[in-house]
Amino acid sequence: MPVVRKHSERMKKFKNKGKDVAALRRQRVEVNVELRKAKKDEQILKRRSISFSLMEERLSPGEDKRNEMVQLSLEEIVEAVNGSNTELQLRATQATRRMLSRQKDPPINQIIELGIIPRLVEFLTRADNAPLQFEAAWALTNIASGTSDHTRAVVEGGAIPAFISLLSSPHMYISEQSVWALGNIAGDGPLYRDALINCNVIPPLLALVSPVTPIGFLRNITWTLSNLCRNKNPYPPLGAVKKMLPVLICLMEHEDKDIISDSCWAISYLTDGSNDRIQIVVETGILPRLVELMASPELIIMTPALRAIGNVVTGTDEQTQAAIDAGVLAVLPHLLQHPKPTIQKEAAWMLSNIAAGPCQQIQQLITCGLLPPLVQLLDKGDFKAQKEAVWAVANFTTGGTVEQVVELVQSGVLKPLLNLLLAKDSKTILVILDTISNLFLAAEKLGETERLCLLVEELDGLEKIEALQTHENNMVYRAALNIIEKYFSGEENPDLQPGTGQDGLYDFSVEKHDFNF
Amino acid sequence: RFGTYVKVLMLLLYYLQRVLLLVASDVDALCACKILQALFQCDHVQYTLVPVSGWQELETAFLEHKDQFKYFVLINCGANVDLLEILQPEEDTFFFVCDSHRPINVVNVYNDTQIKLLVKQDDDLNVPAYDDIFRDDEDEEEDSENETDESEPSEKRRRFEEEVIERTMRRRQRREWEARRREILFDYEQYEYHGTSSAMVMFDLAWLMSKDLNDMLWWAIVGLTDQWIQDKITQMKYVTDIGILQRHVSRHNHRNEDEENSLSIDCMRIAFEYDLRLALYQHWSLYESLCNTSYTSASLKLWSVQGQKKLQEFLADMGLPLKQVKQKFNSMDMSLKENLREMIEESANKFGMKDLRVQTFSIHFGFKNKFSASDIVYATASLMENIEKEGPETTNFIKALDSLSRGNLDKLHQGLDLAKKQLRAIQQTVASCICTNLVISQGPFLYCSLMEGTPDVKLFSKPVSLCLLSKYLLKSFVSSTKNKRCKLLPLVMAAPMDVDQGTVIMVGIPPETESSDKKNFFGRAFEKAADSTNSRTLHNHFDMSIMELKTEDRSKFLDALISLLS
C-alpha cells in the first residue's frame, strides 16, 4: 500500500479492506457539521431582521394599542410575578412572554437576571390556571432557546419535571408548548438530553403521537424526538433509542414533508455512530423506506435520507450490503447528477464508501451502471463533489480486482482524473497520484504498463505529473517523482516488460468507441 | 409627462433611422399617421408603414418585422393590452404607443423602459396606484425557505409572537390585498372608452416641436371629428377639444383673413364654423341629407308615414320649396342659401331639434372646393370599408390614407359617393329594423340581428359601418319606443360576417342618453360570456366591444350574456 495514505488525516476516516476496520471506518467530518450550523444561524438572524422590518411596517394603530396595554416595566413584572394576585401574575407573565417572543433582541439575559424563572416554573404547575401555565411555558421555551447558559437557567429552575408532567396536560396547546420547551432543552447537548431521558420524558412524549394529532403538533413532537436522538459523546442511551425508533419509523410514513424530514434527520443522527448503533437502525428494516425517500423530489426529505444511508454505508460490509439490497445503487446515479452541489457531494461520498467495500460490492457498482455518472461527475461536477469522486476512484482501485480496474479505465475515468491534477488542493492531488500508482500496479500484473504509459501521455497526464515535481508540497513532489521514475524514466526496465503471461487478455484502451475518452 | 415623451420621440426622429409604423383602420389613426408621416418626411426618417386591422394582424406584422426593426410606433392600437405579454419582444425593442383606447393596460403604464405611451398630460387616466396592483416581495418567503432545505434542523427554536398570529395575518393581508387588487383592476378595466384623439396628440407633438403645419392641423381636426361622429367621446370632451383646435386654427389662418380674395388655387384655409349637423349636405341635396342624417331622421321618425308628413311640415315651415330642397345643394338658389343655417335652426327648434347646429371646421381649397370636417370623416371611413374588392386588403387603407391628402380630390369625391351610399344603406336598414320590430329587449340590453340576405348586409360585416348602424338604430329606436325602460338600455347588434365560415360580427354599444359618458362595458362582458360557454369567439378587434362569433354558438353566448348582465 502506498506510503502517502498513512499521512492522510482523512484516511483514518475511511473504512478500508485489509486494514483495521474500526480505525479506518469513516465518520462524518465534524467540521462540516459545525460549518453548516454556523451558516444556519446566520440565516436565522438574517430572516429575523427581514421579518422584523415587515412587522414594523405593518403595525397598525390597533396593534400598537394592544402592545401598549401589556407594556409593563421590569420592576412591575417582578412585583406582579412574585405577588399573589393571579390576574397580575398572568398579565406580567404574558408581558414577559411578549418581550421574549419579539423578533429583535429578546431580553433573555435581563429576564433571567430578574430571578423570576423559579416562579415561572412554579406557574407551570398551576393546573387550575391554564392561561398562566401556557404563558409561562412559552416564556420558558424562549429562554431555553438561547445559549447554553440560558438553557441552564431554565433547567436549574427545575423546569424539566414540570414540563414533563405538562406533556399530559388536558390542554393540547399547553402540552404542545411543553414539547417545544423540552426540544430546546434536549437540543442543548448530550448532558441535558440524557437528563430528560433519565426523567423518563420518552413515554409521555411518544404517547402524544396518534393518528389524530394535529400536524403542527406532530411536527413539534418529531423535532423534539430528533433532538433526543441527536449528539454524540456519549450517544443517547440504547434503551431510549430502541423506544423511539418504532415511532420514528411510523412518522417517516407520514404525508407531511416536515415530519418526514425531521424523522429522517433523527435516523441520520442515530446512524452517525459506531457500527452497533448503525446495526440497531438496520435491524428495524427501515432502509428500503430511506432509499425511497432519498429519491424524493423534496430537498428537505432527500437530504437527511441521503445522509442516513450515507452513514449506514460507513458501517460493516454487511450493513453496506443491506443498503445495497435496499436499492441504493438505483437511486445514486440521479443524485450524482443532481443540480445541487451538496447533493452531488453527499452522493459521491456515499459512493466512495461503497467502493471501499469488497470486490463483490464493487462489482455491484459496475453492474448498476455507476461508472458513467461517476466519470461525468469527475469531469464536470462541483469541485467538492469531484474531490469525493476522486476518493471513490481511489477506493475502487485499491479494493477492486484487476478486471474491475480495467473496466474503470475503459469507462473513461483517466482523462477527468488527470485533469484534476491541476486542482489547487494538494490532498486531492495526492489521492490521484496514489490512484495512478494503483492503476500501474494493475497494468503491471497484466503486462500492459507501456500501454497505460502511452494512454497517460496521450491524455496530457505525463505533462501534468511532471509539472507536479516542482510542487511546493513535499509529498506531492515525491509521489509525482516516484511515478515518473518508475514508469516514465525512458530506460528500459526489465521488470516492466510486457508478456508476463496474460498479454492481450486485458486491454486498457480497449474498444474503439472508448478510445477518445 | 408629455414633455419627456416629446423628447423621446424627437430622439426617435433624429437619431433612430428605421421605424415601423403600425396603424389601425380608423380615420383618427389615419390622420395621426398622416401627421407623423409629414414629420418623418421633413426629417428624412426612414419608416415602413403596415396597416393592421386587428390583434392578429398586429402580431403577424410584429413577428415579420421584429428582426429588422427595433422601434415600433403603434397608432390607435396596443394601449389596452399587455403588449410585452402578447408580443414577447426582445429587450432592446421599443414601442411608442399613441392610442386613444382606454383603459390603458396597467403594465403598459408602469413599464417605462420598453413601452413609451404618448398621452396628453391632461387626459384623465385614473390609473390605479402602482402599489395597489404590483407587489415586489412576491417570492420572498419561498426564496428564504428554499435555502434552508439542505441544512440540519436547528437545535433550539424560539417561538415568535407572530409564529401563530403573524403567519395567518400575513396570509390574510395577502388575500385582502389580492381581493382589493382584483376589485381595483375590475373597476379600472370594466369600461372601455376613448381618450384624446391620436391625431390631436400627434399634432400636439408637432406643435411642441414647432413643426406644425396647417395640413397637420386639418388632420387633427378630422381625427377629432371622427371621434365625434363615431360617438367615441362625450359632447363635453368634443367641445373642449374643438376649443383647443380653434386656437391653433386662428393662429395658422389669421393671415389670410384680410386678403380673402387673394386665395390661389392650391391655397388652403381652415375656418371655424357653427355648421348644420346634416351629413354631407353640401355635396348632396338638402333633402337627402335631412333624410339620411341620424339626428334628423330619428327626431322626425322618418321611417313612418307620420314622420314623412312631419318632414314636409318642417320644410314648409322653413319656406323652402321642395324642388329646391331636392336638387343638388350646389345648385340651390343663392338667395335661399344665404340665411339657410339660421332658417333651418329656427324651424328645427320648433320641431324639437335643438342641437341641429354644431361647432366644427371647414376647409377651403382655393375657390371651388369646400369641405366640412365631417365630410372628410364620412368619405375616408367609406373608402376604408369599401366592400367592392379592388385588390389586396391594404388597397382600401392606402386609398383612404391618400384621400386625406390635399391633392387627391378625385379619391375624396369617390369617398363622398361611397359615403352617401353607406348613409342611405344605414337609413334604410334602420327603417326596416324599426318597422319590422327587429330590435328586441333581452332584459339587460336590446338586441338586433341582421339576417343573411338583408339588403346591404355585406356592408355591415365591417366594424365601423356596423357601429354607425348600431348607433343610428339605437337613436331611432329610443325615439320610437314608448317603453321608458327600453330607452335606457344598451344595444347588442349582430350581422353576418362570413357565410362560408358561419360567423357573425357582434358589437355592443352603450345606452343612448343625453348625459352618456360613452363608456362601454361590453368588452369585458363579451369575454366572460364567451369563456363561461366555451363559445368560439374571436376578439380580434382593437375595440373589445366588437368581436366575431360562430353562428351556432350565438344563442348560448347570448343566454350567458343575459344572465351575466341581469
Side-chain angles (χ1 to χ4, degrees):
Chain A
M1 289 291 119
V3 204
V4 198
R5 296 211 148 173
K6 287 178 191 146
H7 302 284
S8 164
E9 178 66 25
R10 186 178 169 110
M11 274 316 290
K12 293 188 191 127
K13 294 179 168 139
F14 273 82
K15 63 176 185 178
N16 203 344
K17 213 170 52 153
K19 299 233 167 169
D20 179 355
V21 174
L24 283 175
R25 189 184 53 82
R26 184 182 177 208
Q27 293 167 343
R28 177 145 303 281
V29 183
E30 206 65 37
V31 182
N32 279 357
V33 179
E34 269 161 28
L35 277 177
R36 270 196 196 104
K37 220 158 59 182
K39 207 179 141 206
K40 169 85 180 177
D41 288 345
E42 209 178 80
Q43 204 130 51
I44 287 176
L45 277 177
K46 239 169 41 193
R47 252 171 114 188
R48 270 184 204 158
S49 63
I50 288 167
S51 320
F52 181 68
S53 64
L54 282 178
M55 267 270 290
E56 290 283 89
E57 282 164 19
R58 286 175 192 185
L59 275 182
S60 65
E63 279 170 302
D64 268 341
K65 223 160 128 198
R66 197 194 61 187
N67 280 353
E68 257 165 44
M69 221 171 60
V70 292
Q71 204 68 267
L72 297 173
S73 71
L74 293 179
E75 292 76 27
E76 286 170 315
I77 285 177
V78 178
E79 201 185 317
V81 164
N82 290 327
S84 54
N85 181 331
T86 49
E87 189 57 37
L88 287 178
Q89 284 172 352
L90 177 61
R91 275 186 54 191
T93 309
Q94 196 171 43
T96 309
R97 182 269 288 172
R98 284 237 160 87
M99 280 189 264
L100 289 169
S101 53
R102 71 180 186 222
Q103 294 278 359
K104 207 180 163 191
D105 302 332
I108 299 183
N109 280 325
Q110 284 153 279
I111 300 288
I112 292 175
E113 278 160 21
L114 295 181
I116 58 170
I117 288 182
R119 276 295 270 182
L120 294 177
V121 171
E122 198 189 317
F123 292 163
L124 293 180
T125 62
R126 296 275 185 83
D128 57 330
N129 194 342
L132 186 61
Q133 282 182 308
F134 174 66
E135 294 293 347
W138 186 345
L140 289 167
T141 301
N142 284 5
I143 296 172
S145 76
T147 64
S148 273
D149 286 342
H150 298 156
T151 312
R152 193 174 61 237
V154 173
V155 173
E156 286 175 354
I160 289 181
F163 274 126
I164 290 178
S165 70
L166 274 189
L167 288 178
S168 324
S169 163
H171 305 285
M172 193 187 279
Y173 63 101
I174 292 175
S175 97
E176 179 172 5
Q177 194 57 56
S178 306
V179 168
W180 193 325
L182 291 167
N184 278 341
I185 295 170
D188 187 65
L191 190 66
Y192 285 155
R193 177 199 66 198
D194 292 345
L196 288 173
I197 291 172
N198 291 334
C199 286
N200 226 6
V201 71
I202 290 174
L205 187 59
L206 295 182
L208 294 172
V209 179
S210 83
V212 295
T213 315
I215 286 188
F217 193 178
L218 212 48
R219 282 181 190 150
N220 272 324
I221 297 170
T222 313
W223 170 74
T224 297
L225 282 174
S226 79
N227 270 356
L228 287 168
C229 297
R230 205 167 181 163
N231 292 312
K232 299 189 268 191
N233 310 313
Y235 299 120
L238 259 181
V241 171
K242 282 182 175 161
K243 273 185 213 152
M244 286 188 283
L245 263 175
V247 176
L248 286 171
I249 285 164
C250 273
L251 291 171
M252 279 170 63
E253 303 292 337
H254 204 276
E255 59 196 11
D256 181 76
K257 56 181 189 172
D258 290 320
I259 292 174
I260 299 175
S261 174
D262 277 353
S263 41
C264 284
W265 280 111
I267 301 290
S268 82
Y269 303 145
L270 295 177
T271 48
D272 183 11
S274 58
N275 291 352
D276 52 326
R277 293 283 165 161
I278 295 176
Q279 188 58 28
I280 294 166
V281 172
V282 171
E283 278 169 10
T284 62
I286 194 58
L287 296 196
R289 175 61 178 161
L290 279 171
V291 168
E292 188 187 327
L293 294 174
M294 254 172 72
S296 162
E298 296 287 349
L299 213 51
I300 65 164
I301 293 174
M302 171 202 286
T303 306
L306 180 59
R307 182 76 62 85
I309 294 287
N311 287 338
V312 169
V313 299
T314 64
T316 64
D317 290 346
E318 291 73 27
Q319 288 164 350
T320 305
Q321 190 59 44
I324 294 174
D325 293 344
V328 70
L329 295 183
V331 183
L332 265 188
H334 306 289
L335 300 186
L336 288 170
Q337 294 162 39
H338 197 276
K340 288 267 179 190
T342 50
I343 299 292
Q344 286 180 18
K345 197 196 76 179
E346 290 278 324
W349 171 63
M350 185 187 291
L351 184 61
S352 75
N353 276 340
I354 300 172
C359 58
Q360 293 86 338
Q361 287 176 358
I362 292 181
Q363 190 54 45
Q364 278 179 293
L365 285 184
I366 298 171
T367 314
C368 290
L370 266 300
L371 293 188
L374 173 63
V375 169
Q376 204 196 338
L377 185 69
L378 211 53
D379 189 23
K380 296 222 159 62
D382 168 74
F383 180 60
K384 281 183 184 157
Q386 282 179 323
K387 286 206 289 193
E388 296 292 343
V390 166
W391 277 108
V393 174
N395 287 349
F396 192 112
T397 57
T398 309
T401 64
V402 174
E403 292 89 337
Q404 286 167 343
V405 172
V406 169
E407 195 145 352
L408 178 69
V409 174
Q410 283 173 5
S411 67
V413 81
L414 254 181
K415 190 176 184 197
L417 192 69
L418 292 169
N419 281 340
L420 282 170
L421 283 174
L422 297 174
K424 298 275 173 280
D425 181 64
S426 36
K427 230 179 224 174
T428 303
I429 296 174
L430 275 173
V431 179
I432 296 173
L433 292 175
D434 220 17
T435 307
I436 293 170
S437 297
N438 285 345
L439 293 177
F440 271 109
L441 285 178
E444 275 180 78
K445 284 186 196 153
L446 298 172
E448 295 283 0
T449 311
E450 226 162 293
R451 252 193 145 129
L452 184 59
C453 285
L454 218 66
L455 200 54
V456 170
E457 219 176 325
E458 269 169 14
L459 296 170
D460 302 326
L462 180 56
E463 212 175 291
K464 290 178 183 119
I465 299 170
E466 275 173 344
L468 289 175
Q469 287 178 293
T470 61
H471 198 276
E472 54 183 8
N473 185 309
N474 202 31
M475 287 189 297
V476 171
Y477 146 72
R478 260 192 272 149
L481 186 67
N482 190 33
I483 292 174
I484 298 284
E485 279 184 345
K486 224 169 157 189
Y487 305 108
F488 295 96
S489 58
E491 294 166 33
E492 288 286 303
N493 187 337
D495 295 349
L496 300 179
Q497 283 301 316
T500 354
Q502 311 175 35
D503 53 328
L505 208 56
Y506 301 106
D507 187 350
F508 275 115
S509 53
V510 181
E511 266 69 277
K512 273 104 214 141
H513 65 266
D514 275 328
F515 200 77
N516 43 356
F517 299 110
Chain B
R1 173 149 173 189
F2 196 58
T4 61
Y5 286 116
V6 173
K7 275 181 220 143
V8 167
L9 208 78
M10 278 172 76
L11 262 176
L12 176 91
L13 289 170
Y14 289 100
Y15 299 107
L16 316 166
Q17 289 293 296
R18 285 170 61 77
V19 179
L20 190 76
L21 281 182
L22 297 167
V23 183
S25 307
D26 65 77
V27 178
D28 180 39
L30 292 184
C31 291
C33 175
K34 288 299 275 187
I35 298 173
L36 190 58
Q37 282 181 302
L39 284 172
F40 280 164
Q41 203 168 8
C42 74
D43 291 313
H44 310 289
V45 176
Q46 287 181 27
Y47 65 90
T48 302
L49 170 63
V50 179
V52 287
S53 65
W55 294 115
Q56 286 182 333
E57 282 185 35
L58 176 63
E59 264 183 83
T60 316
F62 175 74
L63 290 176
E64 267 173 26
H65 294 92
K66 66 174 183 178
D67 294 332
Q68 300 101 48
F69 293 90
K70 294 288 170 216
Y71 301 92
F72 295 80
V73 176
L74 278 62
I75 299 181
N76 270 0
C77 54
N80 54 345
V81 297
D82 186 349
L83 271 184
L84 300 182
E85 173 73 25
I86 64 162
L87 297 181
Q88 305 281 333
E90 299 291 326
E91 268 177 30
D92 57 348
T93 302
F94 299 91
F95 298 93
F96 297 83
V97 182
C98 180
D99 185 3
S100 71
H101 286 97
R102 301 287 180 273
I104 301 178
N105 180 282
V106 287
V107 178
N108 291 345
V109 173
Y110 286 112
N111 179 307
D112 211 20
T113 47
Q114 285 187 269
I115 307 237
K116 313 283 180 195
L117 293 170
L118 285 109
V119 183
K120 272 192 83 163
Q121 206 160 22
D122 46 0
D123 260 13
D124 197 2
L125 298 177
N126 289 318
V127 182
Y130 181 86
D131 290 333
D132 285 340
I133 42 174
F134 296 106
R135 266 169 94 116
D136 296 326
D137 60 347
E138 306 252 335
D139 317 298
E140 199 181 73
E141 260 179 61
E142 281 138 59
D143 274 1
S144 57
E145 259 169 39
N146 271 341
E147 284 186 23
T148 61
D149 276 358
E150 294 160 75
S151 44
E152 277 184 54
S154 46
E155 277 120 352
K156 295 177 187 173
R157 296 150 52 216
R158 196 149 61 87
R159 178 170 180 174
F160 297 109
E161 178 82 74
E162 315 70 42
E163 196 87 32
V164 196
I165 318 152
E166 176 88 344
R167 204 176 279 186
T168 48
M169 232 171 60
R170 218 180 286 174
R171 226 173 283 151
R172 198 174 58 218
Q173 280 175 347
R174 179 62 171 257
R175 273 200 300 272
E176 280 166 7
W177 182 86
E178 274 162 4
R180 208 171 97 83
R181 175 180 194 268
R182 273 195 297 276
E183 219 168 273
I184 290 171
L185 280 183
F186 179 84
D187 287 349
Y188 178 65
E189 289 173 345
Q190 67 171 329
Y191 292 112
E192 266 186 288
Y193 63 103
H194 285 268
T196 301
S197 131
S198 289
M200 275 188 71
V201 172
M202 218 43 107
F203 176 78
D204 239 36
L205 199 67
W207 175 52
L208 284 165
M209 291 161 61
S210 305
K211 287 175 184 292
D212 56 321
L213 303 169
N214 216 15
D215 281 297
M216 297 180 185
L217 178 55
W218 178 244
W219 291 318
I221 290 167
V222 175
L224 170 63
T225 310
D226 177 53
Q227 283 194 315
W228 183 65
I229 287 175
Q230 305 292 339
D231 212 20
K232 285 178 176 170
I233 50 171
T234 61
Q235 188 65 26
M236 182 72 154
K237 171 80 174 151
Y238 175 69
V239 173
T240 311
D241 286 353
I242 283 280
I244 293 170
L245 290 175
Q246 198 180 350
R247 286 196 287 279
H248 288 298
V249 166
S250 40
R251 189 167 54 85
H252 272 278
N253 297 276
H254 67 96
R255 282 167 316 223
N256 298 334
E257 270 165 22
D258 322 326
E259 26 191 328
E260 206 166 317
N261 297 323
S262 65
L263 285 175
S264 66
I265 285 297
D266 55 334
C267 188
M268 81 174 253
R269 206 172 75 87
I270 303 171
F272 172 80
E273 303 213 13
Y274 192 49
D275 203 354
L276 292 168
R277 189 177 177 172
L278 295 176
L280 308 174
Y281 76 96
Q282 297 182 73
H283 312 277
W284 222 343
S285 72
L286 204 51
Y287 184 81
E288 287 269 22
S289 179
L290 278 167
C291 288
N292 294 302
T293 296
S294 162
Y295 182 69
T296 44
S297 158
S299 303
L300 297 169
K301 304 189 179 68
L302 289 185
W303 53 86
S304 63
V305 184
Q306 268 173 322
Q308 289 295 330
K309 237 164 92 187
K310 234 175 170 183
L311 174 63
Q312 306 302 327
E313 287 167 21
F314 175 57
L315 293 171
D317 188 83
M318 286 187 287
L320 290 175
L322 208 54
K323 198 183 156 205
Q324 282 290 331
V325 173
K326 284 193 174 176
Q327 73 166 315
K328 270 190 172 176
F329 184 80
N330 270 340
S331 322
M332 257 175 91
D333 268 359
M334 285 303 279
S335 58
L336 285 175
K337 278 201 260 184
E338 221 157 88
N339 286 319
L340 188 71
R341 290 176 187 175
E342 288 73 20
M343 277 164 54
I344 293 185
E345 190 181 21
E346 207 184 308
S347 297
N349 274 336
K350 288 187 209 161
F351 283 76
M353 297 182 283
K354 297 205 161 55
D355 303 314
L356 197 60
R357 288 182 74 179
V358 287
Q359 306 174 44
T360 182
F361 298 93
S362 63
I363 189 168
H364 297 256
F365 300 137
F367 297 108
K368 199 182 155 209
N369 295 298
K370 184 194 169 197
F371 299 95
S372 136
S374 64
D375 296 340
I376 308 291
V377 171
Y378 285 118
T380 311
S382 298
L383 282 171
M384 206 158 43
E385 297 205 332
N386 187 3
I387 45 171
E388 289 146 32
K389 276 259 159 106
E390 294 176 12
E393 279 297 317
T394 53
T395 314
N396 283 346
F397 180 94
I398 300 296
K399 224 172 177 180
L401 192 66
D402 284 349
S403 78
L404 287 168
S405 300
R406 237 197 283 178
N408 280 322
L409 281 179
D410 51 332
K411 283 194 182 119
L412 183 55
H413 282 295
Q414 194 196 343
L416 287 172
D417 289 340
L418 282 170
K420 289 176 198 164
K421 267 195 210 166
Q422 182 198 42
L423 288 173
R424 269 198 210 102
I426 288 175
Q427 217 42 61
Q428 277 156 14
T429 310
V430 166
S432 87
C433 286
I434 301 268
C435 294
T436 56
N437 293 319
L438 271 182
V439 181
I440 21 175
S441 168
Q442 294 281 16
F445 56 87
L446 301 167
Y447 177 68
C448 176
S449 171
L450 294 185
M451 243 81 83
E452 185 58 43
T454 315
D456 303 309
V457 75
K458 195 150 180 262
L459 180 65
F460 302 120
S461 67
K462 301 282 181 180
V464 175
S465 303
L466 182 63
C467 284
L468 268 185
L469 170 66
S470 308
K471 299 205 159 142
Y472 289 8
L473 177 60
L474 183 58
K475 209 172 241 179
S476 299
F477 177 81
V478 166
S479 99
S480 79
T481 185
K482 292 190 177 70
N483 185 327
K484 275 190 184 156
R485 206 182 69 84
C486 283
K487 283 183 197 287
L488 302 173
L489 291 179
L491 171 72
V492 173
M493 184 134 200
M497 171 116 184
D498 188 319
V499 186
D500 298 331
Q501 291 185 6
T503 55
V504 290
I505 178 170
M506 199 175 262
V507 58
I509 57 166
E512 180 67 39
T513 56
E514 239 167 73
S515 58
S516 170
D517 56 6
K518 312 291 181 195
K519 290 188 171 180
N520 191 334
F521 58 74
F522 279 110
R524 295 288 153 199
F526 281 175
E527 274 179 0
K528 272 202 182 146
D531 273 355
S532 66
T533 53
N534 283 324
S535 299
R536 287 160 290 174
T537 56
L538 183 61
H539 301 262
N540 185 39
H541 202 270
F542 297 125
D543 283 307
M544 301 297 183
S545 54
I546 302 174
M547 60 153 206
E548 293 162 35
L549 170 71
K550 279 274 181 194
T551 317
E552 307 146 44
D553 294 346
R554 177 159 49 175
S555 64
K556 68 173 177 184
F557 174 85
L558 281 173
D559 287 344
L561 191 64
I562 292 165
S563 65
L564 189 69
L565 297 174
S566 295

